Amino acid sequence: MSATLPDAVVDSAAIAAATSRRRSVWALAIRNPSVIFGGAILLIMLVIAILAPYLGTVDPTRIDPAMRNKKPDTVLTYRLDDGTQAKRTAIMGTDSLGRDVYSRVIYGTRVSLTVGISVAIIAVALGLAIGLISGYVRWADGIIMRIMDGLMAIPPILLAIALVSIWRAGLVTVIFAIVVPEVPRVVRLVRSVVLTVREEPYVEGAISVGTPTITLMWRHILPNTVAPLIVQATFTAAAAIIIEAILSFLGIGIPPETPSWGNIMAEGRTLFRVFPHNIMYPGIFLAFAVLAINIMGDGLRDTLDPKMSKKV
Amino acid sequence: MPDKKPVLEVRNLTVALPKGADRVHAVENVSFTVNPGEIVCLVGESGSGKSVIAFTVMGLLAKALKPTGGEILLEGENILAASEDRLRQLRCTRMSMIFQEPMTALNPVMTCGEQIDEVLETHTKLDAAARKAKIIAILTRVKLPEPERIYASFPHQLSGGQRQRIMIAMALVLDPVLLIADEPTTALDVTTQAEILKLIAELQEGQGTGVLFITHDFGVVAEIAHRVAVLRWGELVEMGPTEQILSRPTQDYTKMLIGSVPSIVPAHRGVRRDGETVLRTEKLGKTYVSKGFFQKGRTVRAAADVDLDIRRGETLGIVGESGSGKSTVARCIARLIDPTEGKVYLGDTEIATLPPGRLRPHRRKVQIVFQDPYRSLNPRMTVGDSIVEGPMNFGLSRSEALARARTLMETVRLDPNALDRYPHQFSGGQRQRICIARALAMEPELLIADEAVSALDVSVQKQVLELLDEIRQRLKLAVLFITHDLRVAAQICDFVAVMSQGKVVEYGAAEQVFGAPRHDYTKALFAAAPGRHWDFSKASAA
Amino acid sequence: MLDFIARRLIAIIPVLAVVAIFVFLMLRLTPGDPAAVIAGDNATSDQIAMIRGKLGLDLPIWQQFAIWIGDMLHGNFGESFFFKKTVVELIQQRLEPTLALSICTLIIAVFTAVPLGVLAAYRQGSWIDRIVMGFSVLGFSMPTFVIGYILIYIFAINLGWLPVQGYVRIGVDFWQFLERMVLPSITLAIVYIALLARITRASILEVLNEDYIRTARAKGLSTRVVLMRHALRNAAVPILTVIGIGIALLIGGAVVTESVYGLPGLGRLTVEAVLSRDFPTIQAVILMFSVVYVVINLLIDISYTLFDPRIRY
């Protein structure tokens, strides 16, 4: 996190010292039990998402009218393309169109993680850029913050719903519909860090030795935003996954044939009393994914950003 | 007094620090007594354990610290063995405490009256009317004007001195036998400090209260103490009557400490005003305007009509209490804030209104060292990187800048090989030296020291002051020295400007201003300086 | 004091303006002719032409905005072609369940979360603290509809204690109304409780580090008095702030909860409107929820003055 410098003359001791310090903060973070626990679950989820086709799944979009509404652990008989028959246990049952719930849940991991990670990255990147401008360009600050306040006045889920209704559903539109309400929160965070750090004597010291504004931001101010932003990114990812699931559940998110946890649950709503598995299994995965990210976020906040952990 | 039993007896007290601290014990084997009607000062630098002792007596020690040995007898009762309930009974009835920060020590959402009332409610069976009468009486005793109004006031409506009086009233309302005062005047301005010291002395003398007074300031010690205990690294160095400790200390540490206290008598510095003028301000001013919808916009004139000039090789001091505008002037000159009125000449160039682009070449000429050594260096950069940043901004290659940084580290008496370390690996005094080196790396013409030694312990302060003065002489620097500390100003300044409420009220050669102040405010300021009758240079000579 | 309220009132004007501009632009940003979008799929060309004239679509965009905002300020939110009613009527019909749900939830949440948070802070590090904090992370991670279905499964289907779904108006039968409010309110309250308990604990712990708490202890006050009289009141402002911010969570959660429990409220209306692309209704609902959110937070801001005498401007 220390400044990038023309590295030709930096002697080896300086490099060693710099890296050891950098490592120490991160070492503390990755040794935190919450970070390990949450990170491990998340890693498993990631592996599931990548290896989805190899985890005993079938085509998650394949409709089979003969296999509708089977309870978990039903043994299904498939007719394969070459005419032979194959048996397979549907450990999570099937839905009302005969699709295999297990396969859909496993593939659903892909959608949720994609949404969580993309929203976190895009929201943080946009928020960082806007926040820096807001914290440093005085005339822009007023306008930007009014717009951000306005966006924050619309409850996030409603804002996402509104945006989805404008753009029509689809993975990309859902991602952007979730990004928009998250951006103002990042902007505020970055701006407050910039405004606080700008008052620090070491920044004033840098100003009085004639450091140009761009360098000042890059070298003295930006590094202070990294820890809070990483923490913010994890919580944003968790919120994004929940909002995606809500939108899909309400039938206004990702197109229903795409296997996402929200969609599976939406499909299972009508027959919930008889076949609760359609809602329970994706629900468990969803809760676990979000829980893992939140626990990791808590751990990261405690280690990387102890000042912030006192707030929320 | 020997016939009376002591109110407080501390015997072989040892308090352990948590594992992993820089030493094993916060306090080790400390013994002393406080007699009725006596003021005992515990004096020491930061880390001496003086406040830990105070909190141990009150039973308010942080959980991480554990008393592991000795006993504390309050009127013969061992407090270390007392239950939490018993301690609560004793607090405010037999022993009371007042703290350093009157601004934060009172609950902001309760009126002052309610807060004192709580004490009576908890510890007495008086009815509401009797309690109210008692509170009004104590408010009168601590000389607060309009006690009825003060009773109903919230802390934020009162000044720092008034809040400390509330604290004192709260502490003494039940006539405890022991009052513990933990740096009670450190956060206050010098004139307020004098009043509070006087009040404490009067009240304890009237009631025969024993006072355990914690301070780092030998001026305060000379002013108020009957007996003094000097602490260092948690151990008692020496103890005795004030007169004896201040003038005939036996231990080297005490001698060094007292010898470090700057004298209030200005040094003969033999100023010859022959250098060219480096800085001149003309009617410099800074006005802040805040807007309101129903009220008129409030304007605050932080500084107004300030005329100063400094020549090469001179030190000009600006002294004043908090809010006097002295730092505003410094920051305007360094163009960290933009002045709203007047002119600032650096040599022949007027820089008060220069736009940022044209200002940049002139930035090099004015460098500033700040008060807080812990926040003045970027914690993520090595000190070497911090020092070379400026020269490299002005076109020096990294190797040239590093060579200069190595030389400067020697100038400020630090190991040049320490350039690749991070600020947290240095002490406060060392960091302040690094800040000086960073400023000097720009080869400035004017060095501004904004309360640069105020956060340092007195022995470190002395070294940094000597260093600054030596550098000024050697490099023929012009120095603008901002301080609230009259003793420091007396030792380092050739000229002194006294500021009050944004204006310079007196301006002249240091010897003249200190020797024969003319303005009433200056006179009052000097009269309030604690221990002004005491010449600390006697001790180091002895 | 007046100055403070005036400042706050003036400060919400730009916020509401941004909301209004956003809601106005929504329709203009949708692909296709706004008039046709509003009229719906089965509209005749006459109807479309009439709407076009009403919206002033031939005028410059800022004039369209002026016409629109004028309509809004007169309480004229247009007509829903899908529901064949004016939007105002529609909202009036759907208001009660949402209002009832929100109020029940708020009451449950505040009265559970604040004591839990205080308790956790008071016993920091104990098992109570751990359980409260663990519950808080869990509650924050469970999506509202998953909680809803779990509760339905346990209490309505398996135990049969409470009805599964549906709504009975408060004026029709109070007990049946209450019976049907229990599960939805608890469902919606959980995330709120998680948030609020956490912030209460954190605020109190922060206040406990303040100098005046040390003073209170030095006065010989008991721990209980220190906590209740000195700590809680000073922590009130951050707790209130989060109650206000949490209203956004509540509104968002209401959309989901009403869908799960089949409550015919505004949240359900929002979803139906989006599914049928009924823009006048979507616009009105978003505008209304945002105004409510902003006004509640304004009231909370003003109420700070009751808790903290320092806030006067």
Side-chain angles (χ1 to χ4, degrees), chain B residues 53-132:
Chain B
I53 296 175
F55 283 102
T56 316
V57 174
M58 285 300 285
L60 292 174
L61 216 48
K63 275 178 192 147
L65 301 175
K66 287 263 180 305
T68 50
E71 44 191 15
I72 296 173
L73 304 178
L74 179 72
E75 295 182 297
E77 181 179 352
N78 187 1
I79 307 183
L80 284 184
S83 70
E84 187 57 33
D85 275 344
R86 178 64 188 149
L87 274 174
R88 269 205 286 275
Q89 283 173 8
L90 292 172
R91 288 182 199 143
C92 253
T93 57
R94 312 307 294 155
M95 56 178 179
S96 289
M97 185 160 178
I98 56 177
F99 304 95
Q100 177 171 354
E101 280 290 342
M103 308 314 268
T104 55
L106 289 166
N107 188 336
V109 304
M110 286 169 78
T111 63
C112 297
E114 282 171 348
Q115 297 191 50
I116 304 177
D117 192 48
E118 266 190 331
V119 176
L120 301 178
E121 219 179 21
T122 312
H123 297 292
T124 69
K125 293 193 170 74
L126 298 175
D127 63 20
R131 293 204 303 265
K132 175 91 189 262

Side-chain angles (χ1 to χ4, degrees), chain C:
Chain C
M1 186 68 189
L2 264 180
D3 194 59
F4 176 74
I5 294 174
R7 273 164 181 277
R8 289 288 148 188
L9 273 172
I10 291 168
I12 68 169
I13 291 174
V15 173
L16 291 180
V18 172
V19 173
I21 291 171
F22 170 79
V23 171
F24 169 75
L25 285 181
M26 262 181 76
L27 188 59
R28 306 309 193 269
L29 289 175
T30 347
D33 177 10
V37 170
I38 287 194
D41 295 338
N42 309 322
T44 64
S45 54
D46 280 358
Q47 277 175 319
I48 295 179
M50 191 197 76
I51 295 169
R52 169 176 295 278
K54 238 182 175 177
L55 295 178
L57 285 183
D58 303 322
L59 300 170
I61 188 113
W62 63 270
Q63 281 186 7
Q64 294 180 30
F65 182 67
I67 293 174
W68 181 79
I69 203 88
D71 278 351
M72 292 293 136
L73 292 175
H74 285 96
N76 178 7
F77 290 86
E79 209 169 321
S80 159
F81 281 77
F82 180 77
F83 294 98
K84 309 255 182 291
K85 273 182 192 146
T86 66
V87 174
V88 175
E89 279 173 341
L90 208 54
I91 288 178
Q92 276 170 350
Q93 269 182 7
R94 300 291 197 102
L95 190 61
E96 191 193 291
T98 307
L99 210 58
L101 176 64
S102 308
I103 291 171
C104 291
T105 306
L106 259 178
I107 292 172
I108 294 176
V110 172
F111 284 91
T112 324
V114 175
L116 278 181
V118 174
L119 198 66
Y122 176 54
R123 296 244 177 264
Q124 192 197 358
S126 73
W127 60 271
I128 293 185
D129 184 22
R130 274 162 217 227
I131 288 176
V132 171
M133 289 307 283
F135 167 82
S136 160
V137 184
L138 196 67
F140 217 75
S141 306
M142 296 278 276
T144 311
F145 53 97
V146 176
I147 298 172
Y149 280 112
I150 293 174
L151 293 182
I152 291 179
Y153 191 71
I154 298 173
F155 294 100
I157 297 178
N158 270 5
L159 298 172
W161 290 353
L162 293 161
V164 178
Q165 281 182 328
Y167 181 73
V168 171
R169 288 195 165 257
I170 191 165
V172 175
D173 185 326
F174 183 72
W175 283 113
Q176 286 196 13
F177 158 81
L178 216 56
E179 226 176 32
R180 284 168 174 78
M181 269 297 124
V182 175
L183 286 185
S185 315
I186 293 176
T187 306
L188 188 49
I190 287 195
V191 83
Y192 213 145
I193 293 174
L195 178 73
L196 212 53
R198 205 182 166 101
I199 201 74
T200 304
R201 175 184 178 273
S203 310
I204 289 196
L205 285 180
E206 195 171 342
V207 170
L208 286 179
N209 280 325
E210 297 282 344
D211 285 356
Y212 53 80
I213 295 296
R214 189 180 58 189
T215 307
R217 294 216 292 138
K219 286 197 270 191
L221 304 182
S222 68
T223 318
R224 200 182 53 80
V225 173
V226 171
L227 196 71
M228 299 315 264
R229 199 183 291 166
H230 292 267
L232 191 56
R233 203 167 149 210
N234 277 286
V237 166
I239 294 172
L240 271 174
T241 309
V242 171
I243 291 181
I245 294 171
I247 298 286
L249 231 57
L250 192 74
I251 293 172
V255 175
V256 181
T257 312
E258 287 175 12
S259 292
V260 171
Y261 289 93
L263 302 178
L266 291 169
R268 188 75 210 126
L269 177 66
T270 314
V271 179
E272 286 165 11
V274 171
L275 286 173
S276 54
R277 298 185 60 72
D278 178 13
F279 271 90
T281 310
I282 303 176
Q283 285 177 308
V285 170
I286 289 175
L287 204 57
M288 191 200 67
F289 273 133
S290 303
V291 171
V292 167
Y293 179 51
V294 170
V295 169
I296 290 178
N297 277 287
L298 173 76
L299 294 177
I300 286 180
D301 261 15
I302 292 172
S303 78
Y304 290 163
T305 51
L306 300 176
F307 292 90
D308 194 334
R310 286 169 298 181
I311 300 174
R312 279 285 180 269
Y313 31 179

Side-chain angles (χ1 to χ4, degrees), chain A:
Chain A
M1 243 32 62
S2 76
T4 48
L5 288 156
D7 42 13
V9 210
V10 188
D11 60 3
S12 57
I15 294 168
T19 44
S20 81
R21 180 179 157 70
R22 206 178 308 172
R23 203 180 297 137
S24 69
V25 181
W26 292 101
L28 209 64
I30 59 165
R31 249 184 270 138
N32 180 293
S34 302
V35 176
I36 294 173
F37 179 75
I41 295 181
L42 210 60
L43 204 67
I44 294 171
M45 291 268 175
L46 205 63
V47 171
I48 290 177
I50 293 168
L51 297 182
Y54 310 103
L55 296 174
T57 53
V58 294
D59 179 2
T61 56
R62 194 182 121 131
I63 295 172
D64 190 344
M67 301 294 170
R68 277 163 21 200
N69 293 327
K70 295 285 182 273
K71 295 214 165 182
D73 290 329
T74 311
V75 179
L76 304 178
T77 315
Y78 283 88
R79 187 182 297 277
L80 297 179
D81 293 339
D82 56 8
T84 55
Q85 286 193 337
K87 280 195 190 222
R88 169 160 195 289
T89 313
I91 53 169
M92 295 183 188
T94 61
D95 66 10
S96 59
L97 295 173
R99 292 174 296 199
D100 179 45
V101 174
Y102 169 74
S103 305
R104 287 180 74 73
V105 168
I106 294 294
Y107 275 94
T109 315
R110 288 187 166 180
V111 175
S112 285
L113 289 189
T114 309
V115 170
I117 294 168
S118 347
V119 169
I121 291 174
I122 299 170
V124 164
L126 280 177
L128 179 63
I130 301 173
L132 284 180
I133 293 171
S134 187
Y136 238 88
V137 185
R138 240 168 243 183
W139 62 266
D141 185 41
I143 303 168
I144 291 176
M145 290 322 286
R146 289 303 79 72
I147 295 176
M148 294 302 139
D149 285 348
L151 285 180
M152 283 178 67
I154 307 174
I157 293 180
L158 277 190
L159 183 50
I161 289 177
L163 291 170
V164 171
S165 72
I166 298 176
W167 288 332
R168 302 258 176 191
L171 185 62
V172 177
T173 48
V174 165
I175 287 174
F176 275 93
I178 304 172
V179 163
V180 174
E182 294 295 335
V183 168
R185 280 154 248 277
V186 184
V187 171
R188 283 195 155 199
L189 179 72
V190 172
R191 177 173 175 272
S192 78
V193 171
V194 172
L195 292 186
T196 326
V197 177
R198 218 166 59 165
E199 304 287 310
E200 286 292 311
Y202 72 79
V203 173
E204 295 196 324
I207 294 173
S208 61
V209 297
T211 306
T213 307
I214 297 289
T215 320
L216 195 75
M217 279 223 229
W218 177 253
R219 193 183 288 167
H220 296 280
I221 293 178
L222 206 59
N224 291 290
T225 64
V226 173
L229 279 183
I230 285 177
V231 175
Q232 179 70 29
T234 56
F235 292 127
T236 302
I241 291 176
I242 291 193
I243 296 180
E244 182 275 319
I246 288 175
L247 291 179
S248 298
F249 172 79
L250 294 175
I252 51 183
I254 292 174
E257 63 278 6
T258 312
S260 92
W261 295 334
N263 277 338
I264 307 169
M265 287 187 265
E267 211 282 321
R269 279 168 73 184
T270 37
L271 294 173
F272 171 69
R273 290 183 208 207
V274 204
F275 303 111
H277 61 269
N278 272 344
I279 283 187
M280 288 311 161
Y281 289 115
I284 289 169
F285 267 72
L286 178 57
F288 250 98
V290 177
L291 186 67
I293 300 177
N294 277 337
I295 288 177
M296 192 170 85
D298 276 356
L300 284 174
R301 184 181 52 196
D302 291 347
T303 47
L304 292 182
D305 196 12
K307 261 178 282 170
M308 196 162 103
S309 66
K310 280 190 190 153
K311 288 179 191 154
V312 174

